[in-house]
Amino acid sequence: MGRLRLRGAIFLRGEYSEPWAYESLPPQDVTAILAPGERQLVLFHVVASGRCWIEAGGERHWARAGDVIVLPYNDQHRMGGSDDATPVPIAQILEPPPWERLPVIRHGLGGAATEVVCGYLSCDDALFDPRLRVFPSVFVTTPPPGPAREWVNASIAYALQQTTRVTADRVVSPTSVPELLLAEILKLYLAAAPASTSGWWKALRDPVLAPALAAIHSAPERKWSVETLAREAHASASALDERFRVVLGLAPIRYLTLWRMHLAEELLRTPDMGLVAVAHRVGYESEEAFSRAFKREHSASPSVWRVRRR
């Protein structure tokens, strides 16, 4: 977790009363409001009191006071309380930006109360690439009793007491609480993740996929094929291809390409590394071949992308 470069803020408080439910904005609208220009946004909700559910990707999860809900890919979602209610678009209950202070949503019909504190973080790491789907669409983590839970509660209380600025283009937090919070929650989640968890974490425990992924991650510059990756995994090419598609939803070479592009993004942030060197490091023999592959994924050449990220 120490390598993650996170940037974020506490941006909203929700005070809900039974019955209540809402539907979030589409991901692109959330990004445009909170962090224009960012490509990957992570949302989190800390349940300060009460009980609620959240749905994303077709699954409903319940959370109670002290739990932290994470939406790693900023997926559109629904939230609600214990009583039945028809979700309303959040645009109907949240004052539209620009905001001069921390927004507060008050919604519901006066029954039992639930308070939620929301935040966001932007991060370019492959962990949060929606194409790779390392994490499920939404997960709920319960900090264990003791220092971890006390730290989460104290951190949110502290953040809410601070003055959150709203600039012309984004919400700005005066503390690093959101970054520290997400890093801690990810540690807790990964420590408790069962072997049956689907997606990337399941792949890392898969006897066929694990050695193939290790080979790609340790030497992305090699001229990998399905056959050579299968040899690393001590499996047939057809078996490896099937496992990639079933567990990760990607063909092996498609996964390799996406991983190379993420590595390229990080290398391009190094100002003294030329494009030829970046191309060779991620497995392309020429700058031209690398540029074509990069442009297919990013709709911009490596040189243009690099200038935009300065």
Side-chain angles (χ1 to χ4, degrees):
M1 293 305 153
R3 294 184 65 252
L4 291 179
R5 292 191 295 270
L6 302 167
R7 304 168 297 280
I10 304 295
F11 74 93
L12 183 146
R13 288 174 55 200
E15 298 176 358
Y16 307 110
S17 58
E18 297 289 352
W20 65 275
Y22 77 80
E23 183 173 42
S24 73
L25 293 170
Q28 64 272 19
D29 293 347
V30 174
T31 302
I33 291 172
L34 297 178
E38 296 290 353
R39 191 164 62 88
Q40 296 173 185
L41 211 61
V42 183
L43 300 182
F44 66 86
H45 305 276
V46 181
V47 184
S49 65
R51 184 170 180 263
C52 64
W53 55 262
I54 184 165
E55 285 182 353
E59 296 184 0
R60 176 172 290 193
H61 302 261
W62 285 90
R64 63 181 187 274
D67 289 351
V68 181
I69 302 165
V70 181
L71 293 139
Y73 311 113
N74 184 25
D75 286 335
Q76 190 165 19
H77 58 280
R78 293 181 171 188
M79 287 187 71
S82 299
D83 297 344
D84 291 338
T86 301
V88 302
I90 197 168
Q92 294 183 11
I93 55 176
L94 173 64
E95 68 175 276
W99 301 311
E100 295 181 356
R101 61 188 184 280
L102 190 70
V104 178
I105 293 180
R106 294 181 174 89
H107 176 57
L109 297 181
T114 296
E115 184 177 12
V116 180
V117 179
C118 305
Y120 80 90
L121 299 107
S122 55
C123 182
D124 294 331
D125 195 278
L127 279 173
F128 304 111
D129 188 330
R131 298 170 298 179
L132 295 180
R133 291 281 163 172
V134 169
F135 297 106
S137 295
V138 60
F139 62 86
V140 177
T141 297
T142 302
R149 181 176 294 181
E150 293 170 4
W151 181 85
V152 169
N153 293 338
S155 297
I156 292 302
Y158 175 75
L160 288 174
Q161 291 173 2
Q162 308 305 302
T163 300
T164 299
R165 295 186 294 114
V166 182
T167 67
D169 63 346
R170 66 181 60 214
V171 182
V172 180
S173 173
T175 74
S176 59
V177 166
E179 296 93 321
L180 295 173
L181 176 63
L182 182 62
E184 183 65 25
I185 292 304
L186 290 178
K187 290 177 184 177
L188 293 172
Y189 174 78
L190 297 179
S196 61
T197 299
S198 62
W200 202 67
W201 298 110
K202 182 178 180 181
L204 292 180
R205 297 175 173 86
D206 188 285
V208 174
L209 291 179
L213 291 176
I216 290 173
H217 295 167
S218 62
E221 73 281 0
R222 284 187 56 181
K223 293 182 179 179
W224 293 112
S225 65
V226 178
E227 289 74 18
T228 56
L229 286 171
R231 285 198 290 269
E232 295 286 335
H234 304 288
S236 68
S238 59
L240 182 69
D241 182 82
E242 181 181 7
R243 290 303 293 162
F244 261 91
R245 293 176 187 274
V246 169
V247 177
L248 291 170
L250 297 167
I253 302 307
R254 178 60 179 158
Y255 180 92
L256 171 64
T257 298
L258 292 175
W259 196 261
R260 284 173 167 174
M261 292 301 102
H262 271 290
L263 178 59
E265 289 178 13
E266 187 159 342
L267 296 175
L268 287 170
R269 293 189 180 92
T270 306
D272 58 352
M273 180 171 281
L275 294 182
V276 173
V278 174
H280 291 168
R281 177 66 183 85
V282 297
Y284 294 88
E285 294 182 348
S286 68
E287 179 181 337
E288 292 74 20
F290 166 60
S291 294
R292 287 195 298 270
F294 191 92
K295 192 170 184 178
R296 281 196 297 269
E297 299 298 330
H298 297 82
S299 301
S301 67
S303 57
V304 170
W305 189 92
R306 169 178 267 174
V307 169
R308 290 175 179 172
R309 292 305 187 277
R310 285 178 180 170

